[in-house]
């Protein structure tokens, strides 16, 4: 809490994002007591990242020239850079997917009054700078922030969401259609896939504590692909999900395929795999992921 | 012509104040949003039922309000009525958000202005000052955490919550968890009251030094809470006219005949008005439109407020003080609600999707938030988000003009101006991510 000059200098830079990561970070009391917070416009009167920053957290995607400028400046002044949140890793949840018709409507209406100069695409941080650690999540929980800020060697993160969910997968409860919330009944303790939800926890990186699935909401994949799918092309994750639903349900193939095209999947899971299609981006290794 | 630009910190998002001075006179004072979220475009064409997961991402500070407004809009559209227990749990969720937001605005965003620090976490020079600030910050963060814990409990997670779904909520609140929260509130409610007192006094003291924050002119006030029922899971909008009379009362689906929403030429955010007239939303609007909270501590603060400052009260500095009253109310009300059984009973009902038009209203910390969707063939054809910060845009602009005129004269530009514009903007607690949805 105290702005002790002996503590390591710590900075938080927000690019194009929603502030959710910052708000989550504010709940990590342990952190706030142990750093000298020199830059975080949300809570500190500052306009400039000073030199000699030990750790720089960057949230949000790169959408504007200003984002690029701030990111490069920040990187040059910090020893260690941690990319936090889905946007920083994927370019931004706001873009859904570039080929989506909504994108067109946005670009068309950008002629109306003033609009910021936007890049043709939202980019992840590692398109421009070296990232020392990746912390995906929308947003990452305070606990994950704490883990990321410690020495991560030997830290074990649940490989997939199911590991922390605790809902039981049943052999004989096979839905024939995706009903989602329409049924109006969510049984406790039983796997959401068995109950007709399009839950993607089986392919999604764990560590979140299964915050969504435990109370009964399908996982939408905000932590991105689990380790085996890092650096794999998008179809790899989708194939895995297809297999899960074929094995656990009697939902017709066309319906599964349609669900795999869902915008909420592209919002998270696809976005992470997009980077594998861009040859200018570095390979991300699992030892750099929390 | 001289142009001065003040980048702003301790608010949500990227924004700045730009003041043009011509011949020692203030020519223009604008509040500019510097980013663009664009969700109104991105969500076109997506399956309607998926929008409730996507739109909270407009803003991590206000995600709770967006999620509930979104679900309510689809419930309106599908013709589904959630069970009473679900409505109660949603109210607890929104109270959690009010606590979180008002504590953040009061202590993290605006308290530093009152103690002349750059942040709540800044080291003060004297040992005494240091100790005081340290404990103040600790307590402030603990009160804020009650809010985030309540959101987690009623919403699943405290940013981008998920428990509110079309037809109700996915699960109730277990007795043991409710009891833990009650214990935490009992411990911190008296402290919160004291902190609000301190904040109140500090604000008035600062007022003695610098006058009111600028712009005390009577204006219209917009809120969706009721005069004697401060329910945030709200149903109707109310408008108070400048002389203090409630002069309009309307349904969400009628909003377009009362509220005029336009793009602005100087900012990436839009502006809204009551048929062209400047209005204000947020804490001061609600307090002006509230007769009673129905909880003892908040009502005694309300009485003190009305007796001291009158009704309606117009000075901008009151926005911050009103946030303090609401913080106390939300803690008291959440405690009351957690006493009830929120664990057993029907939490959700089924539904069948259909096409049409739907409206979802909630009272967000910054004012009435309205989602308006049109669904065709199961897909979102258009989505409108009527944003609380946008209701305040004209009021912010007018207030900045007043304050700029105060500090710019033939003698030059008073160095206080930079701090003054920060205080004015923070009083409205704007959210730029939402405003540029």
């Amino acid at each position: 809490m105290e702005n002790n000059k002996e503590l390591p200098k710590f900075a938080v830079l927000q690019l194009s994002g929603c502030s959710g990561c910052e708000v989550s970070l504010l709940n990590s009391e342990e952190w706030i007591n142990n750093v000298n917070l020199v830059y975080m416009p949300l809570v500190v009167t500052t306009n400039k990242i000073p030199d000699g920053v030990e750790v720089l957290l960057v949230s949000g995607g790169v959408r504007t020239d200003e984002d690029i400028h701030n990111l490069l400046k920040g990187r040059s002044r910090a020893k260690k850079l941690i990319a936090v949140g889905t946007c920083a890793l994927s370019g931004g949840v706001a873009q859904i997917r570039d080929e989506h018709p909504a994108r067109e409507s946005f670009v068309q209406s950008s002629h109306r009054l003033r609009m910021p100069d936007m890049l043709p695409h939202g980019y992840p941080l590692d398109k421009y700078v070296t990232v020392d650690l990746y912390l995906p999540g929308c947003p990452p929980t305070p606990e994950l922030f704490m883990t990321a800020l410690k020495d991560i060697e030997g830290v074990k993160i649940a490989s997939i969401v199911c590991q922390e969910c605790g809902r039981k997968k049943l052999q004989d409860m096979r839905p024939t259609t995706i009903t989602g919330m329409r049924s109006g009944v969510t049984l406790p303790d039983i796997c959401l896939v068995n109950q007709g939800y399009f839950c993607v926890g089986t392919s999604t990186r764990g560590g979140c504590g299964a915050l969504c699935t435990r109370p009964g909401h399908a996982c939408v994949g905000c932590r991105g692909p689990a380790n085996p799918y890092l650096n794999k092309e998008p179809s790899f994750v989708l194939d895995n999900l297809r297999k899960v639903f074929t094995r656990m349900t009697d939902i017709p193939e066309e319906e599964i395929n349609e669900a795999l095209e869902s915008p909420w999947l592209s919002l998270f899971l696809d976005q992470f795999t997009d980077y594998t299609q861009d040859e200018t981006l570095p390979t991300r290794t699992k030892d750099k992921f929390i | 012509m001289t142009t001065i630009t003040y980048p702003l910190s301790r608010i949500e998002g990227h924004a700045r104040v730009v003041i043009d001075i011509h011949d020692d006179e203030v020519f223009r004072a604008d509040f500019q949003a510097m980013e663009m979220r664009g969700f109104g475009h991105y969500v076109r064409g997506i399956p309607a039922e998926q929008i409730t997961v996507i739109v909270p991402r407009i803003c991590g500070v206000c995600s709770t309000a967006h999620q509930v407004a979104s679900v309510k809009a689809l419930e309106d559209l599908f013709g589904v009525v959630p069970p009473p227990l679900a409505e109660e749990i949603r109210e607890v969720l929104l109270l959690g958000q009010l606590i979180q937001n008002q504590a953040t605005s009061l202590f993290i965003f605006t308290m530093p202005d009152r103690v002349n620090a750059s942040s709540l976490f800044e080291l003060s020079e004297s040992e005494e000052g240091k100790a005081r600030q340290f404990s103040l910050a600790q307590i402030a963060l603990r009160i804020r955490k009650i809010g985030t814990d309540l959101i987690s409990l009623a919403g699943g997670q405290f940013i981008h919550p998920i428990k509110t779904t079309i037809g109700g909520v996915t699960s109730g609140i277990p007795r043991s968890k409710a009891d833990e929260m009650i214990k935490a509130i009992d411990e911190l409610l008296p402290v919160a009251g004291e902190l609000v007192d301190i904040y109140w006094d500090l604000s008035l003291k600062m007022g003695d030094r610098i006058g009111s924050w600028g712009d005390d002119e009577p204006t219209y006030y917009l809120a969706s809470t009721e005069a004697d029922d401060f329910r945030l899971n709200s149903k109707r909008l109310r408008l108070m006219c400048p002389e203090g009379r409630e002069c309009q009362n309307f349904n969400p689906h009628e909003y377009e005949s009362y509220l005029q929403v336009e793009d602005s030429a100087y900012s990436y955010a839009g502006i809204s008005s009551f048929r062209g007239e400047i209005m204000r939303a947020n804490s001061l609007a609600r307090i002006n439109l509230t007769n009673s909270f129905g909880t003892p501590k908040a009502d005694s603060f309300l009485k003190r407020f009305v007796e001291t400052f009158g009704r309606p009260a117009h000075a901008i500095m009151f926005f911050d003080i009103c946030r303090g009253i609401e913080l106390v109310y939300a803690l008291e009300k959440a405690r009351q609600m957690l006493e009830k059984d929120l664990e057993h009973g029907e939490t959700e009902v089924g539904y069948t999707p259909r096409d049409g038009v739907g409206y979802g209203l909630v009272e967000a910390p910054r004012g009435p938030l309205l989602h308006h969707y049109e669904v065709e063939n199961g897909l979102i054809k258009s989505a409108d988000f009527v944003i609380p910060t946008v209701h305040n845009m004209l009021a912010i602009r007018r207030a900045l003009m007043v304050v700029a005129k105060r500090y710019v004269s033939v003698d030059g530009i008073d160095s206080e101006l930079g701090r003054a514009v920060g205080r004015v903007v923070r009083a409205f607690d704007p959210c730029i991510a939402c405003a540029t949805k």
Side-chain angles (χ1 to χ4, degrees):
Chain A
M1 177 85 49
E2 296 176 59
N3 202 9
N4 196 323
K5 295 189 174 76
E6 284 155 29
L7 292 171
K9 279 190 195 168
F10 196 94
V12 184
L13 171 65
Q14 186 191 334
L15 305 178
S16 293
C18 79
S19 300
C21 293
E22 285 74 10
V23 177
S24 184
L25 181 61
L26 281 179
N27 263 36
S28 320
E29 253 179 78
E30 208 183 314
W31 158 75
I32 229 158
N33 286 327
N34 289 312
V35 297
N36 174 10
L37 188 60
V38 292
Y39 178 87
M40 186 176 179
L42 185 69
V43 301
V44 187
T45 315
T46 47
N47 299 314
K48 207 178 139 197
I49 302 174
D51 282 324
V53 167
E54 196 71 27
V55 181
L56 172 68
L57 296 189
V58 185
S59 73
V62 181
R63 302 277 312 276
T64 65
D65 289 342
E66 201 186 345
D67 286 338
I68 298 176
H69 174 84
N70 289 337
L71 178 60
L72 294 176
K73 271 263 144 52
R75 174 71 269 193
S76 72
R77 290 169 186 169
K79 263 193 211 160
K80 183 176 181 184
L81 187 151
I82 308 181
V84 298
T86 301
C87 299
L89 274 75
S90 70
V93 293
Q95 62 192 335
I96 308 273
R97 58 165 52 155
D98 283 15
E99 66 268 31
H100 199 277
R103 182 84 191 161
E104 232 164 86
S105 115
F106 182 74
V107 173
Q108 271 166 16
S109 67
S110 66
H111 306 299
R112 60 165 201 146
L113 300 173
R114 301 171 64 246
M115 290 282 283
D117 289 333
M118 289 179 116
L119 302 172
H121 186 101
Y123 296 104
L125 308 186
D126 51 9
K127 172 123 180 138
Y128 300 94
V129 297
T130 308
V131 170
D132 299 302
L133 194 64
Y134 297 92
L135 174 58
C138 187
T141 58
E143 293 75 20
L144 281 168
F145 269 109
M146 290 319 303
T147 307
L149 294 171
K150 287 179 196 146
D151 184 6
I152 63 151
E153 219 179 280
V155 167
K156 280 250 177 298
I157 295 281
S159 62
I160 54 171
V161 172
C162 303
Q163 269 187 11
E164 294 172 309
C165 171
R167 287 176 177 270
K168 230 171 150 174
K169 292 190 173 78
L170 301 179
Q171 296 277 330
D172 52 352
M173 189 171 175
R174 300 178 67 83
T176 54
T177 182
I178 298 166
T179 53
M181 298 161 291
R182 289 178 197 176
S183 67
V185 185
T186 314
L187 302 171
D189 312 324
I190 294 169
C191 175
L192 295 173
V193 174
N194 290 127
Q195 300 189 56
Y197 285 88
F198 197 74
C199 179
V200 299
T202 49
S203 300
T204 304
R205 168 178 297 275
C208 55
L211 282 176
C212 296
T213 57
R214 281 188 292 116
H217 193 287
C219 171
V220 294
C222 86
R223 290 260 295 149
N227 277 342
Y229 317 113
L230 282 179
N231 298 305
K232 292 285 198 308
E233 57 195 82
S235 62
F236 214 85
V237 183
L238 299 183
D239 283 346
N240 184 63
L241 284 168
R242 197 175 285 116
K243 273 183 220 150
V244 168
F245 280 88
T246 312
R247 198 176 62 235
M248 290 182 65
T249 74
D250 295 324
I251 300 167
E253 201 187 329
E254 314 81 73
E255 202 180 334
I256 294 173
N257 285 336
E258 199 187 319
L260 290 170
E261 294 291 313
S262 306
W264 66 10
L265 274 194
S266 85
L267 184 65
F268 298 114
L269 217 46
D270 285 19
Q271 288 291 350
F272 283 96
T273 46
D274 270 359
Y275 72 87
T276 58
Q277 311 299 294
D278 184 342
E279 284 165 9
T280 66
L281 291 174
T283 303
R284 295 173 179 174
T285 52
K286 62 180 180 189
D287 58 313
K288 285 189 175 183
F289 267 78
I290 287 289
Chain B
M1 177 109 78
T2 312
T3 300
I4 318 174
T5 302
Y6 295 104
L8 295 167
S9 50
R10 285 188 277 119
I11 63 163
E12 190 299 313
H14 306 284
R16 64 185 191 187
V17 170
V18 178
I19 299 175
D20 284 339
I21 301 165
H22 193 55
D23 281 347
D24 305 322
E25 261 181 62
V26 180
F27 185 67
R28 202 169 64 111
D30 286 339
F31 175 58
Q32 301 183 337
M34 298 307 295
E35 60 188 298
M36 184 72 205
R37 300 289 289 156
F39 275 69
H41 302 280
Y42 299 131
V43 297
R44 277 182 211 164
I46 67 157
E49 289 165 272
Q50 296 187 18
I51 199 171
T52 62
V53 172
I54 294 169
V55 291
R57 269 81 190 179
I58 291 173
C59 175
V61 174
C62 316
S63 55
T64 302
H66 283 296
Q67 209 238 346
V68 178
S70 170
V71 166
K72 283 177 81 173
L74 287 179
E75 284 173 346
D76 182 33
L77 210 150
F78 297 159
V80 53
V81 180
L85 178 57
E87 299 279 27
E88 296 286 289
I89 292 170
R90 289 176 188 182
E91 186 65 19
V92 173
L93 176 65
L94 293 166
L95 286 167
Q97 181 184 234
L98 192 65
I99 294 168
Q100 188 259 143
N101 193 82
Q102 306 313 56
T104 304
S105 175
L106 286 167
F107 306 126
I108 298 180
F109 291 172
T110 64
M111 187 66 111
D113 292 332
R114 281 146 185 79
V115 295
N116 241 337
S118 72
S119 91
L120 183 65
F121 315 116
E122 190 200 48
L123 183 73
S124 167
E125 290 302 318
S126 74
E127 282 303 308
E128 186 203 358
K130 188 164 83 178
R132 186 169 156 205
Q133 219 169 66
F134 184 71
S135 64
L136 194 82
Q138 288 283 13
I139 293 167
L141 287 181
R142 282 177 63 204
I143 295 171
R144 181 182 170 276
K145 194 161 179 297
I146 291 190
T148 57
D149 285 351
L150 270 175
I151 302 175
S152 300
L153 200 54
Q157 56 176 336
F158 75 92
I159 300 157
H160 309 324
I162 39 78
K163 270 175 73 165
T164 299
T165 50
I166 306 161
V169 295
T170 58
S171 50
I173 297 176
R175 183 72 264 150
S176 59
K177 298 274 182 198
D179 286 341
E180 276 172 34
M181 282 308 312
I182 289 175
K183 215 174 132 214
I185 294 174
D186 282 344
E187 192 194 332
L188 282 168
L189 181 57
V191 194
E194 283 166 31
L195 216 50
V196 170
D197 274 331
I198 294 174
Y199 186 91
W200 188 307
D201 292 342
L202 282 172
S203 300
L204 293 186
K205 258 190 212 146
M206 191 158 76
D208 290 342
R209 187 164 58 83
I210 59 162
S212 74
W213 281 213
D215 192 15
D216 308 339
E217 218 179 297
T219 188
Y220 290 87
Y221 290 95
L222 181 73
S224 66
T225 49
E226 295 296 315
D228 294 296
D229 180 5
F230 204 78
R231 192 163 268 269
L232 304 165
N233 185 4
S234 55
K235 293 189 167 67
R236 293 180 70 83
L237 293 107
R238 295 193 300 141
L239 189 84
M240 177 181 263
C241 289
E243 73 277 11
R245 186 172 46 86
E246 181 186 322
C247 54
Q248 304 289 348
N249 187 318
F250 54 99
N251 271 317
H253 69 256
E254 299 171 303
Y255 83 92
E256 280 161 308
S257 29
Y258 295 87
L259 305 178
Q260 202 173 308
V261 188
E262 302 159 273
D263 287 331
S264 88
Y266 54 86
S267 166
Y268 303 133
I271 47 176
S272 61
S273 63
F274 167 61
R275 298 172 179 162
E277 301 286 339
I278 296 178
M279 58 182 183
R280 288 171 170 179
N282 207 318
S283 54
L284 179 59
R286 286 187 292 266
I287 295 286
N288 277 338
L289 277 153
T290 297
N291 288 336
S292 108
F293 282 105
T295 64
K297 275 203 162 112
D299 274 335
S300 88
F301 271 115
L302 178 65
K303 190 162 169 267
R304 186 167 131 202
F305 183 86
V306 174
E307 281 172 5
T308 318
F309 307 119
R311 182 198 298 271
H314 299 293
I316 288 175
M317 63 187 287
F318 297 148
F319 275 99
D320 295 320
I321 291 176
C322 289
R323 260 174 222 121
I325 304 176
E326 292 183 331
L327 174 67
V328 169
Y329 161 75
L331 287 165
E332 283 186 298
K333 185 68 183 181
R335 197 204 180 285
Q336 270 183 12
M337 296 191 73
L338 289 166
E339 291 277 344
K340 299 182 205 166
D341 179 10
L342 301 172
E343 183 174 12
H344 305 98
E346 192 183 32
T347 55
E348 53 185 328
V349 294
Y351 67 91
T352 309
R354 66 182 188 201
D355 286 356
V357 177
Y359 300 82
L361 173 69
V362 296
E363 182 70 23
R366 291 168 179 78
L369 168 70
L370 215 155
H371 282 208
H372 168 205
Y373 306 147
E374 191 183 348
V375 173
E376 203 177 79
N377 303 318
L379 306 176
I380 297 286
K381 190 180 175 204
S382 70
D384 252 344
F385 312 107
V386 183
I387 300 294
T389 291
V390 172
H391 301 320
N392 274 331
M393 282 298 178
L394 290 174
I396 295 176
R397 200 179 187 211
R398 186 173 79 180
L400 285 171
M401 195 69 187
V402 172
V403 82
K405 281 181 173 165
R406 178 185 295 172
Y407 293 108
V408 175
S409 68
V410 284
D411 301 329
I413 299 158
D414 193 318
S415 62
E416 184 69 17
L417 181 58
R419 285 188 289 275
V421 298
R423 281 196 296 270
V424 164
V425 170
R426 279 178 211 120
F428 289 95
D429 191 19
C431 178
I432 309 306
C434 291
T436 59
K437 31 83 180 168

